[in-house]
Amino acid sequence: MSRAEPTALAEGAEAEFMYQYESNMPPATRSAFGVTTTRIGGGVALSMRRDPTGYWSKALGFGFDEPITPDLVDRVVDFYRGEGSRGAGIQIAPSVLPPDWDDIRARHDLRPGAQIVKLWCPVDAFSPGQTGMRVGPVGPDDAAEWASVVLRGFGMPPEGVAEMLTASVGHPDFRPFAVWDGDALVAGANLFVDGEVGSLNTGSTLPGHRNRGAQSALLAARAKEAANAGCRWLVAETGRPAEGETNPSLNNMLRAGMRQLYVRRNWIWRPDAAESEEARDVQR
């Protein structure tokens, strides 16, 4: 398998699960948060005008169906301008960035942001961990609590946005899992099945229950489910730790047999002052 193939699979799976999350929000929630989703040049662009976290407006999955060109980036930025967005992250795998990328990003003043580590491994190379707590699939009765726990584990406010995660429970391509300490749901994560790729995403644990194996157990449960669903590959992403710091999520995945595929930079677009004022006028 060439390096180009796992990169395309990893980027494609992430783009698709993000698109499905935001596209399948309940209509009233989509309207309240100002959510619009679209497909551009083989990738996706997702806008949440009234995002309380600054996380959910992002564009990704580019560089495979068509190359990264000034025209492609123009179309992405024009989408966010048209939506009156306050900003967005544009995420492009380093292997598909063109030689003139610095010139392209300068056209729109795209600033370097955080870095994301992309990981992958064959399903049969995954080595599961264990926990003394109960881990299992999430059904409709636990969906709302699971969504709230996941968001609170990330430090995100659950109000409203939790309805987006709740909507993924029952979606044919999402397989959510949770960890319980007794009767208390304390950690959660999701699996997205994208053909032969199982994307391990949206994993978090409430602060008081960390370092007890919950995330390792969620990785193991999702890897087993991915194998049962016919997936050949597992992919995931997590933040790259700053120098001298560690990321427990990254360490858990490496211990389980996943390997770093590449590090991807987020490129941050913000409207200029005139555009921001115009967008505010439109929304008043």
Side-chain angles (χ1 to χ4, degrees), residues 131-218:
T131 182
M133 295 184 285
R134 176 168 62 95
V135 59
V138 173
D141 291 345
D142 295 312
E145 185 180 7
W146 168 80
S148 176
V149 165
V150 167
L151 289 168
R152 286 186 284 130
F154 281 122
M156 294 183 178
E159 291 76 15
V161 180
E163 295 179 20
M164 175 179 68
L165 296 189
T166 301
S168 74
V169 179
H171 186 289
D173 297 326
F174 281 109
R175 317 290 169 86
F177 285 83
V179 170
W180 287 264
D181 184 8
D183 293 332
L185 199 159
V186 298
N190 223 336
L191 166 71
F192 182 74
V193 176
D194 188 32
E196 293 186 320
V197 178
S199 173
L200 310 176
N201 64 84
T202 323
S204 74
T205 303
L206 294 178
H209 288 79
R210 291 172 184 167
N211 302 313
R212 295 175 57 184
Q215 284 303 313
S216 293
L218 286 166

Side-chain angles (χ1 to χ4, degrees), residues 15-31 34-39 43-48 56 79 163-165 167-168 171 174 192:
E16 193 59 28
F17 82 68
M18 287 296 304
Y19 183 87
Q20 294 301 327
Y21 267 142
E22 298 193 35
S23 296
N24 288 294
M25 291 177 76
T29 308
R30 282 174 60 94
S31 177
V35 173
T36 305
T37 61
T38 191
R39 298 184 185 274
V44 303
L46 317 169
S47 175
M48 185 181 289
W56 299 99
F79 165 74
E163 295 179 20
M164 175 179 68
L165 296 189
S168 74
H171 186 289
F174 281 109
F192 182 74

Side-chain angles (χ1 to χ4, degrees), residues 88-261:
I90 298 175
Q91 303 173 329
I92 302 173
S95 62
V96 297
L97 288 173
D100 60 343
W101 174 246
D102 283 342
D103 294 332
I104 293 174
R105 70 183 184 89
R107 287 162 56 97
H108 300 292
D109 194 27
L110 301 181
R111 306 289 181 88
Q115 293 180 301
I116 300 297
V117 180
K118 294 286 289 188
L119 303 107
W120 79 293
C121 73
V123 164
D124 57 11
F126 189 87
S127 177
Q130 297 180 346
T131 182
M133 295 184 285
R134 176 168 62 95
V135 59
V138 173
D141 291 345
D142 295 312
E145 185 180 7
W146 168 80
S148 176
V149 165
V150 167
L151 289 168
R152 286 186 284 130
F154 281 122
M156 294 183 178
E159 291 76 15
V161 180
E163 295 179 20
M164 175 179 68
L165 296 189
T166 301
S168 74
V169 179
H171 186 289
D173 297 326
F174 281 109
R175 317 290 169 86
F177 285 83
V179 170
W180 287 264
D181 184 8
D183 293 332
L185 199 159
V186 298
N190 223 336
L191 166 71
F192 182 74
V193 176
D194 188 32
E196 293 186 320
V197 178
S199 173
L200 310 176
N201 64 84
T202 323
S204 74
T205 303
L206 294 178
H209 288 79
R210 291 172 184 167
N211 302 313
R212 295 175 57 184
Q215 284 303 313
S216 293
L218 286 166
L219 287 169
R222 289 178 292 164
K224 181 178 180 180
E225 178 65 20
N228 291 340
C231 296
R232 297 177 58 205
W233 313 101
L234 297 174
V235 298
E237 51 281 327
T238 189
R240 184 183 190 184
E243 187 174 352
E245 298 182 359
T246 61
N247 178 344
S249 178
L250 175 60
N251 294 340
N252 286 337
M253 287 189 277
L254 292 173
R255 278 196 297 269
M258 301 195 79
R259 293 293 176 261
Q260 180 175 308
L261 186 57

